[in-house]
Structures are given as C-alpha cells and as structure tokens.
Amino acid sequence: MPRSVLAHREAVVELLSGLPEARGSERVPLPEALGRALAVDVHAPLDLPPFPNSQMDGYAVRSADIPDGGAELRVAAPVPAGAAPEPLQPGDAAPIMTGAMIPDGADAVVPIEKAQPSAFPAPGTDTRVTLPATGPGTFVRDAGSDIARGALALAAGTVLGPAQLGLLAALGLTTAEVRMPLRVLLVTTGDEVLEPGQELTPGKIYDSNGILLETAMRQAGLEILRTGISDDAPAALLRLLRGNADSVDLIVTTGGVSKGAYEVVRQAMDGQPVEFLSVAMQPGGPQGIGTFDGVPFLGFPGNPVSCLVSFEMFLRPALAAVLGAPALRPAPIARLAEPLASPAGKHQVRRGTLQAGGTVRLVGGAGSHLVHALALSDVLVQVPADVTELPAGAEVEVWML
C-alpha cells in the first residue's frame, strides 16, 4: 500500500534529524549570511533605539509648560537628527526632526501641523510658537522601546533574511555566526540524459533535473556538489557515490527508482539500508529513502516536475523542521478558476498561476514531464488524497513558488 505524503515527509525529517549535531558554524559578514541559519542566540548589545527620540517633526516640550488651553512658548535652538541637544529650558519649545534625540527636560513632542504658525521659523530667529496641550510621552520613542539591552534579539536557528540582517546591523553588529551549510551530493542518472550544450542525438534528452534541483537547493541554503551525469551502469554509479560520500551530509539522486528493468539507483543500492516505495502522490510517487554507507540518501524520480515536487513536498519541509533552513512556502487559500479531477487515493500537486482576486488558474495537465507548464507557474495547487473532483470556485491550498 502506498505511503501517505505526511508519513513520507515525517520519514525524511527522521532521516535528517541527526544532522545538526554533526555540523559546525562559521562567522561571516552580514551580507554573506543571507539565507543562512543562526548558530547561536543573539542578545541585544544595546538598547534600540539607544536614546529617546522624536516620532515626527514637531516641537520638543515640557508637557507641564502647556496648560489645557495651550500656551505660547519661546522657540529654542532646533534639534536635527544626529545632534546631541542642549537641555530644554522651562518655557521653551525646541524644533525637532523625526528620529532626533529628545533633549533632557523634554517629555513630549507636538507635531508641527498643530503649531501656530505651522512652519518652523528660520534658524536664529527670536520668535515664539503657540502649542496645544499634550501629555507626557506623546510622540516620543523611548530608549529600548524596540528591544532592550540584553534581551533576546534572534534565537539560534533563525533564518536570516533582509529584516533579520537589518536588525543585527541596527544593533551595531557586522557579522553573524551561522550554521555551516548542509553539503549535498546531487546525481542525475540515465543513459538518455545529456548535459545542456552537447549535441542532441536520437533518443537523448537534455538534463533539466540537475539545474532544477541544484538551484532549488541553493535557494534553501544548501551547498551542492555536482559530479556530472551517471549512466545506467550500477558499478559506475557506485564508484561515483563512494568517491564522494565521505565529503557530503546528504545524497540526492534523480531517476532510477521505479520498478523498470534499468533502474540504476535501485540496483546500486542493493545491500544498503534503502527502501524504495510508492508515495500516494501525483506526480512524484516513486521514492527512495535510507542511507548509503551511513550517509542519508533520498532518491527522487526522474521526470523533471516530479523532481521539483518531491523537493518541495519532502526535502524543503524537512530542512525547515530540522535544520532551520528557509521556511515552508507560503500557503494561502485560493479559489479554482476551473474544475479539476484528481485520481482517487493520491495527493495531487498541480501547477498554476495565482490571479488577481485570489483565484488560481491551472497551467498544463497533471503530467510530470511538463517543464514548460512548470516554468509558467507560480504556485503548486494541493489536492488532498481524499478528493477526486473539485468544481470551479472551490477553495484549495496553494504553495507559492
């Protein structure tokens, strides 16, 4: 009986579960940490913001100087952003810019549009301004109001995107200690497969699996080792695997995992603790999982769409769960623009494009060879195994690509 999608995903998580302890870390400049996972907790070395500052352009005031009916105050020296202002004297109002430091003695900011006149006076002008009453703390960003010194800024395992790296820079950090990337040996198999750029002779096809999976894995923060295409000779594949297994954390192959006569991966894995099975999924049903000479191994099917779907459905979620790799794809709910049919008992993954208004239009059919349709798609449409038909307008989960 085929294994469910969820059960196989859990098996991949279990396969990879021992990897974090085996990997070290390195300290890299912040731009180089993009997409990497933090190896350690990061605590704030300073308050953020480091000093009380103005939330908007206006006048820094002592709120006690302004009664309920408003007051006319002397205009003090302006406070530009980046300056260390003099203390605010009683009865004064200091023109202050957004982000500028609140002067000692001030406890509130009155927005410029509430002042009379509603424009800052020219520098050096001896003038006065009428302001309405305001409460303490109004439009003031307190020191540490974003994050306080010593507080946990980012936890170990956090994947560093632009927002997280911006936080580290705001805290004055220039580097981050990140986990070493998982190193993957990626092997495409098949006598019929040629490297792009070679002469396409009768019966041959160009390898798209290699670039599909390599780039998807690199997006997920993995380091990829490619050794060229292996033909359908089991002995040659064994030599290739044994020549590289001790330098990688994971082996992924494409092709050769079905029940045909020339399934080179199945043959090469003879005697290894590797299981070849069928997952109740279309495309991507044939799968291999286990270890080769002690190295975790995953065998994906050979059709291009099946390869990418296998990665998105099994390996990417496992990486997110176990290694703190970039998280799962966003999975909004959309409405079908047209009806669809799905085989009974199989979780179908269709390709589609998300339209304005939250509808999804299917691209191509269910075939696992339709690379053009995949290239035109921006979502994977998830159809559960217990669903055989859905009408137009039905809600479905879609995974953003």
Side-chain angles (χ1 to χ4, degrees):
M1 182 176 178
R3 176 184 284 174
S4 72
V5 167
L6 179 59
H8 193 64
R9 187 178 300 152
E10 290 173 346
V12 177
V13 170
E14 183 178 358
L15 178 71
L16 302 185
S17 61
L19 289 173
E21 291 76 17
R23 295 155 61 234
S25 64
E26 61 179 342
R27 185 166 290 279
V28 299
L30 293 187
E32 296 179 19
L34 181 65
R36 305 280 294 274
L38 273 175
V40 295
D41 291 344
V42 175
H43 292 83
L46 47 79
D47 287 333
L48 198 63
F51 50 82
N53 68 85
S54 178
Q55 190 174 333
M56 57 180 54
D57 293 349
Y59 285 91
V61 298
R62 296 171 178 265
S63 59
D65 287 346
I66 309 176
D68 289 345
E72 185 180 76
L73 304 178
R74 294 183 301 271
V75 176
V79 184
E86 294 294 324
L88 187 72
Q89 299 303 313
D92 283 0
I96 191 167
M97 305 303 111
T98 302
M101 187 175 189
I102 299 292
D104 286 344
D107 65 356
V109 173
V110 178
I112 183 63
E113 58 268 22
K114 293 187 177 182
Q116 292 295 329
S118 59
F120 291 127
T125 304
D126 184 12
T127 189
R128 301 178 75 84
V129 64
T130 300
L131 300 173
T134 188
T138 304
F139 298 121
V140 173
R141 301 167 176 152
D142 291 329
S145 56
D146 188 359
I147 185 171
R149 178 195 295 265
L152 179 64
L154 295 172
T158 299
V159 176
L160 298 174
Q164 292 75 31
L165 293 170
L167 170 62
L168 297 181
L171 292 170
L173 303 177
T174 60
T175 62
E177 188 171 347
V178 293
R179 293 174 179 170
M180 295 295 292
L182 190 72
R183 196 158 194 252
V184 181
L185 173 62
L186 176 59
V187 182
T188 301
T189 68
D191 281 341
E192 77 281 12
V193 183
L194 295 175
E195 294 282 5
Q198 296 181 343
E199 181 184 358
L200 192 65
T201 53
K204 305 291 186 180
I205 60 172
Y206 288 127
D207 173 34
S208 60
N209 293 347
I211 194 68
L212 266 174
L213 284 179
E214 178 177 358
T215 51
M217 291 178 181
R218 289 192 187 281
Q219 278 188 336
L222 307 182
E223 180 183 339
I224 308 304
L225 173 64
R226 296 278 301 279
T227 57
I229 298 168
S230 176
D231 61 22
D232 284 335
L237 178 57
L238 273 173
R239 286 194 298 272
L240 186 156
L241 296 177
R242 290 213 161 101
N244 294 280
D246 60 354
S247 64
V248 298
D249 303 294
L250 173 67
I251 297 169
V252 176
T253 62
T254 73
V257 296
S258 298
K259 297 181 179 180
Y262 302 102
E263 303 300 331
V264 63
V265 175
R266 293 179 72 111
Q267 294 171 316
M269 292 292 160
D270 186 41
Q272 298 282 342
V274 173
E275 181 182 9
F276 293 94
L277 67 152
S278 177
V279 175
M281 182 174 77
Q282 182 193 61
Q287 297 286 329
I289 183 170
T291 60
F292 175 84
D293 288 354
V295 179
F297 163 81
L298 293 173
F300 291 160
N303 279 309
V305 179
S306 298
C307 273
L308 189 64
V309 168
S310 297
F311 172 75
E312 294 292 345
M313 297 295 288
F314 303 127
L315 184 50
R316 183 188 288 277
L319 292 170
V322 174
L323 304 178
L328 300 179
R329 296 295 197 183
I333 300 297
R335 296 183 308 277
L336 286 172
E338 64 228 80
L340 65 73
S342 183
K346 288 190 177 182
H347 182 114
Q348 190 181 64
V349 183
R350 296 286 296 271
R351 278 67 67 204
T353 57
L354 197 58
Q355 310 288 303
T359 61
V360 61
R361 187 169 298 281
L362 301 178
V363 178
S368 58
H369 65 293
L370 301 174
V371 184
H372 184 221
L374 178 64
L376 298 178
S377 304
D378 56 19
V379 296
L380 296 177
V381 181
Q382 305 290 331
V383 185
D386 59 352
V387 173
T388 57
E389 293 183 4
L390 288 173
E395 291 187 339
V396 288
E397 183 177 270
V398 297
W399 289 15
M400 306 298 296
L401 289 176

